[in-house]
């Protein structure tokens, strides 16, 4: 299909075209990182345990196996990882059923990428059942594919989810821009060889080679993402 929107310039230099944009979900597109922590606090309170606020930085952005496993070990709670995962997923689904606020700039960015037919993927450590619920608010039409944390053998911080997304889109990871909000997600994207835009949600993230840190998605647009290919090549 040919876009009716004028192209913004598909190349800034030979071989430096932006081929795709890969986006994290929780804390990046939807304001839900706090939801996960609130659910974890509530679930463990019901089990008779109080979570230390400092643990929030440990579990943010990680796969459920890591975050839930850490909390079980830290509290000594009498619950299995499988049982806890069910409770956390259900609690989160209940939360997003009541409200699902988008991050500032998320809707505008997704609309711009769609309008210019930029291949876009949603890459999350959340399980498929959660992603499918959130997609109804984000708009599934904005994504050529989605990758869930329970669909890969190794999820973030391993590069597998981003490599899978790039393969699925038929693009070179080195010519993909990834937008992430946590150090775990940034590590995964960088290990995959992608250019990274970090929009920190809970814990700070420092700039680094092939990594640009911004304070909000409102600073990110298609021209900005295409510029990364020139600045970091």
């Amino acid at each position: 299909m040919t876009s009716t929107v004028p192209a913004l310039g598909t190349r800034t230099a030979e071989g430096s075209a932006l081929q795709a944009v890969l986006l994290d979900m929780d804390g990046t597109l939807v304001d839900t990182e706090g939801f996960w922590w609130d659910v974890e606090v509530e679930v463990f309170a019901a089990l008779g345990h109080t979570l230390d606020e400092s643990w929030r930085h440990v579990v943010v952005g990680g796969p459920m196996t890591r975050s839930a496993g850490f909390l079980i070990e830290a509290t000594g709670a009498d619950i299995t990882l499988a049982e806890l995962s069910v409770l956390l997923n259900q609690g989160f689904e209940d939360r997003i059923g009541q409200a699902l606020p988008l991050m500032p700039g998320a809707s505008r960015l997704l609309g711009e990428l769609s309008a210019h037919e930029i291949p876009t993927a949603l890459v999350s450590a959340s399980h498929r059942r959660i992603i499918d619920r959130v997609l109804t608010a984000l708009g599934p039409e904005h994504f050529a594919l989605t990758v869930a944390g329970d669909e890969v053998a190794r999820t973030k911080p391993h590069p597998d989810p981003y490599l899978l997304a790039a393969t699925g889109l038929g693009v070179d990871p080195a010519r993909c821009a990834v937008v992430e909000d946590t150090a775990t997600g940034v590590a995964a994207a960088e290990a995959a060889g992608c250019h990274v835009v970090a929009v920190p949600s809970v814990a700070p993230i420092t700039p680094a080679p092939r990594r640009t840190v911004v304070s909000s998605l409102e600073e990110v647009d298609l021209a900005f993402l295409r510029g990364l290919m020139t600045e970091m090549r």
Side-chain angles (χ1 to χ4, degrees):
M1 181 174 67
T2 302
S3 173
T4 58
V5 180
L8 296 184
T10 57
R11 292 180 183 272
T12 53
E14 185 60 34
S16 64
L18 173 68
Q19 291 186 336
V21 177
L22 315 178
L23 298 154
D24 174 53
M25 187 177 76
D26 293 302
T28 299
L29 293 176
V30 289
D31 192 7
T32 51
E33 287 293 8
F35 285 15
W36 281 113
W37 178 249
D38 290 344
V39 169
E40 288 160 349
V41 168
E42 290 174 2
V43 168
F44 276 89
L47 295 171
H49 299 276
T50 300
L51 300 189
D52 191 307
E53 182 69 24
S54 66
W55 296 343
R56 183 174 183 177
H57 291 249
V58 179
V59 301
V60 66
M64 185 167 292
T65 52
R66 189 196 74 185
S67 57
F70 168 83
L71 293 174
I72 290 173
E73 183 176 354
T75 61
D78 184 18
I79 189 171
T80 67
L81 183 59
E83 291 169 337
L84 180 57
S85 295
V86 170
L87 293 177
L88 293 178
N89 273 319
Q90 186 57 59
F92 185 80
E93 284 191 73
D94 292 342
R95 292 256 172 175
I96 63 176
Q98 301 168 24
L100 187 56
L102 301 189
M103 298 298 287
S107 181
R108 185 264 314 151
L109 177 60
L110 290 174
E112 184 179 14
L113 295 175
S114 291
H116 289 276
E117 298 184 351
I118 303 299
T120 303
L122 186 68
V123 183
S124 176
S126 290
H127 289 188
R128 169 56 58 188
R129 59 186 281 193
I130 298 297
I131 288 181
D132 287 345
R133 288 287 301 275
V134 174
L135 275 174
T136 61
L138 289 174
E141 69 277 7
H142 293 307
F143 304 98
L145 64 83
T146 60
V147 176
D150 57 341
E151 296 174 341
V152 290
R154 301 188 308 170
T155 189
K156 304 173 187 179
H158 298 287
D160 305 37
Y162 283 112
L163 292 175
L164 179 62
T167 298
L169 294 175
V171 298
D172 180 356
R175 289 165 67 179
C176 292
V178 169
V179 185
E180 273 280 0
D181 72 303
T182 67
T184 299
V186 167
E190 290 180 341
C194 304
H195 300 263
V196 181
V197 178
V199 192
S201 59
V202 176
I205 298 173
T206 57
R210 298 177 65 85
R211 181 196 310 167
T212 301
V213 180
V214 298
S215 60
S216 168
L217 274 186
E218 293 184 313
E219 299 177 43
V220 181
D221 59 16
L222 184 51
F224 175 90
L225 295 173
R226 281 179 166 150
L228 296 178
M229 299 298 116
T230 299
E231 294 172 7
M232 301 182 185
R233 66 194 174 105

